[in-house]
Amino acid sequence: MPLDHDVPEEPAPAPPPLRAAEPGARRSAAEEARTLVAGRNVGTLATLSADGHPWGSLVAYGTLHDGAPVLFVSRLAEHRRNLDRDGRASLVVAQADSGSDPLAAGRVTLAGVAERPAGERAAAAAREAYAAAVPTARMYESFGDFALWVLWVQRIRWVGGYGRMDSASGDAYAAAEPDPTAAAAPGAIAHLNDDHADALLTMARALAGHTDATAATCTGIDRYGLDLAIATPRGHASARVGYAEPVSAPGGLRAATVELARRARAALAPTG
Amino acid sequence: MPLDHDVPEEPAPAPPPLRAAEPGARRSAAEEARTLVAGRNVGTLATLSADGHPWGSLVAYGTLHDGAPVLFVSRLAEHRRNLDRDGRASLVVAQADSGSDPLAAGRVTLAGVAERPAGERAAAAAREAYAAAVPTARMYESFGDFALWVLWVQRIRWVGGYGRMDSASGDAYAAAEPDPTAAAAPGAIAHLNDDHADALLTMARALAGHTDATAATCTGIDRYGLDLAIATPRGHASARVGYAEPVSAPGGLRAATVELARRARAALAPTG
């Protein structure tokens, strides 16, 4: 089995940095998965039909503190009858706003075993998790044919669009944290590109090693740093610049980015 | 197994028409499914892992003339290795714009068996179908690790949001036609509600039997007719009013709706 796509001609490689630069840290596959799952409330569940055929269906979900998805399923649903027979299941959650290219969307598969919560305390936690994520949940709570299920995650497969993908264990998924800055990221990207092109260019020159950069735009931002698209006379490059510390609160991107810009300016300033 | 949700208290029923009215025709489950599948190019595929665990993953797809989905899958993808072992699969396609309530979205599960196209002619048809639906397809055509697969549909399950759902055979799905007016529907609904509230009210009174209607809005439109939400002094009702003939072309909604409004006015006009 090939380890990479079997491509007839490789495209021209991006220009390397002119000065050695340590690439900034990125979220792990488990962190990407937790962030994606925390940001949505609908996915596609794969279960097993009576004859062993794989069956897919849309479900709403909430999540427990360890990221385990909680479902609330009617006896009328085919996937409920499947789970009653065999709890093995996968849940696929995809990024909502994938643009025109469907395969550029981030998505994750959580594979595991679905079980009814054991005991009143576990049921209450599951009920709360579902109601917190699904606005219509309270409507169905009194329906006698609905029941809670928790998908205990055994392994995950994350695909972050083209070229970025990884697997992780259920334990790594449970231990990881959703990125607290995810909801603020789109606004932060727009603000940096609209009002701080100069700071991004300084970061590209001083921190990403592209000392000949002529322009830079921010293409991604998260608790660990920024993704930059960099124009140079040698061609287009991309780079990752990292924050001094991971951002730990939803409102923390601004201060971390200001520190990054200051560090970049200091690195470029003439010494002596 | 209950045939309906197990609800403790039924909500107040909607007021019935005051005059007998034949409800307009609706799309069949197979037609809904063909329309949904034709309108998107991304879904979630359920396949079987080596150990029999159901596995879900995001895929782009095109469709053959009979609605059979065409996939173009790398050997790097876990679902490709699953299909190589066992072609049994389901594809879930969901409406893109479901609003804030995830379970209000229309969606369909196509269950069947995936096979590589047999012969060069079938492969060419599959290649064209995929390229017509997926803008980036040409990029991968030369990649040696990608291969075409066709999902031969054996049965479908369609859910049209709350309360509307049905199953159909693979033959019914293949024989049905995607609604040619689907892309024009959102614009037509907005236009009717913005500029023709009077005509909608006349339809509600004359064709839906709600002779005491005080207002009506269009909530849906398709090749067979209109869905109306109707206000009356007795409460809120919904109704379906049907076109004289199914619309057969993308641009045909206007003429059919004009005929419907004319019929409604004629029915209300004083006789003698």
Side-chain angles (χ1 to χ4, degrees):
Chain A
M1 196 172 309
L3 288 174
D4 205 346
H5 290 301
D6 179 11
V7 184
E9 271 180 86
E10 287 292 340
L18 294 176
R19 208 163 60 194
E22 186 75 25
R26 290 187 180 284
R27 295 192 293 223
S28 67
E31 289 176 309
E32 292 285 358
R34 288 294 302 270
T35 303
L36 232 164
V37 169
R40 299 222 63 194
N41 65 357
V42 63
T44 300
L45 189 73
T47 54
L48 293 172
S49 297
D51 62 0
H53 202 110
W55 180 256
S57 46
L58 202 77
V59 292
Y61 69 87
T63 42
L64 296 178
H65 290 300
D66 64 356
V70 176
L71 315 176
F72 194 46
V73 189
S74 165
R75 271 193 303 267
L76 300 178
E78 183 155 345
H79 53 262
R80 164 71 178 276
R81 300 194 292 273
N82 292 347
L83 291 180
D84 277 334
R85 264 193 320 267
D86 188 333
R88 289 180 293 172
S90 297
L91 180 68
V92 178
V93 177
Q95 195 185 316
D97 51 338
S98 65
S100 63
D101 180 357
L103 296 180
R107 64 266 194 187
V108 65
T109 302
L110 311 177
V113 175
E115 291 177 358
R116 304 285 294 273
E120 189 38 49
R121 196 165 152 185
R127 193 177 300 114
E128 280 316 301
Y130 188 83
V134 182
T136 50
R138 302 289 183 201
M139 241 168 82
Y140 310 108
E141 282 201 345
S142 58
F143 286 24
D145 62 316
F146 276 76
L148 292 158
W149 291 78
V150 176
L151 178 63
W152 299 110
V153 179
Q154 295 170 327
R155 69 177 178 112
I156 70 157
R157 175 75 177 165
W158 166 74
V159 180
Y162 294 106
R164 297 185 60 213
M165 54 190 73
D166 207 353
S167 300
S169 69
D171 288 345
Y173 172 80
E177 197 185 28
D179 189 332
T181 71
I189 294 170
H191 172 66
L192 285 171
N193 289 328
D194 289 349
D195 298 342
H196 298 288
D198 52 340
L200 297 174
L201 179 57
T202 305
M203 289 178 202
R205 289 175 175 168
L207 303 180
H210 287 278
T211 53
D212 61 344
T214 55
T217 54
C218 176
T219 58
I221 192 166
D222 58 51
R223 68 189 308 183
Y224 296 112
L226 272 65
D227 295 303
L228 298 178
I230 302 171
T232 81
R234 300 167 294 129
H236 285 267
S238 60
R240 175 82 182 169
V241 290
Y243 292 136
E245 298 287 338
V247 176
S248 59
L253 287 177
R254 190 175 183 286
T257 308
V258 166
E259 188 283 328
L260 196 61
R262 190 176 296 140
R263 184 148 42 97
R265 278 198 307 276
L268 269 199
T271 51
Chain B
M1 199 170 306
L3 288 174
D4 205 347
H5 291 300
D6 179 10
V7 184
E9 271 180 86
E10 287 292 339
L18 294 176
R19 208 163 60 196
E22 186 75 26
R26 290 188 180 281
R27 296 191 294 224
S28 67
E31 289 176 308
E32 292 283 0
R34 288 294 301 269
T35 302
L36 232 164
V37 169
R40 299 221 62 195
N41 66 358
V42 63
T44 301
L45 189 73
T47 55
L48 293 172
S49 297
D51 62 0
H53 204 109
W55 181 255
S57 46
L58 202 78
V59 292
Y61 69 86
T63 42
L64 297 178
H65 290 299
D66 64 357
V70 176
L71 316 176
F72 193 48
V73 189
S74 164
R75 270 194 303 268
L76 300 180
E78 183 155 344
H79 52 262
R80 165 70 178 278
R81 301 194 291 274
N82 291 348
L83 292 180
D84 277 334
R85 263 193 320 269
D86 188 331
R88 289 180 294 172
S90 297
L91 180 68
V92 178
V93 177
Q95 196 186 316
D97 51 339
S98 64
S100 63
D101 181 356
L103 297 180
R107 64 265 193 187
V108 64
T109 302
L110 312 177
V113 175
E115 292 176 357
R116 304 283 296 271
E120 188 39 46
R121 196 164 154 185
R127 193 176 300 115
E128 280 316 302
Y130 187 82
V134 183
T136 50
R138 301 288 182 202
M139 238 168 83
Y140 310 107
E141 282 201 345
S142 59
F143 285 27
D145 63 316
F146 275 76
L148 292 157
W149 291 77
V150 176
L151 177 63
W152 300 109
V153 178
Q154 295 169 327
R155 69 177 177 111
I156 70 157
R157 175 75 177 165
W158 165 74
V159 180
Y162 294 106
R164 298 185 59 213
M165 54 190 73
D166 208 353
S167 301
S169 69
D171 288 346
Y173 173 80
E177 197 184 27
D179 189 331
T181 71
I189 293 170
H191 172 66
L192 285 171
N193 289 327
D194 289 348
D195 298 342
H196 298 287
D198 53 340
L200 297 174
L201 179 57
T202 306
M203 291 177 201
R205 289 175 176 167
L207 304 180
H210 287 279
T211 52
D212 61 343
T214 55
T217 54
C218 177
T219 58
I221 192 166
D222 58 52
R223 68 188 311 182
Y224 295 112
L226 305 180
D227 295 304
L228 297 179
I230 302 172
T232 82
R234 301 167 292 127
H236 286 267
S238 60
R240 175 83 181 169
V241 291
Y243 293 136
E245 297 287 339
V247 176
S248 59
L253 286 177
R254 190 175 184 286
T257 309
V258 166
E259 189 282 329
L260 196 61
R262 190 175 296 138
R263 187 148 40 98
R265 279 197 306 276
L268 271 200
T271 51

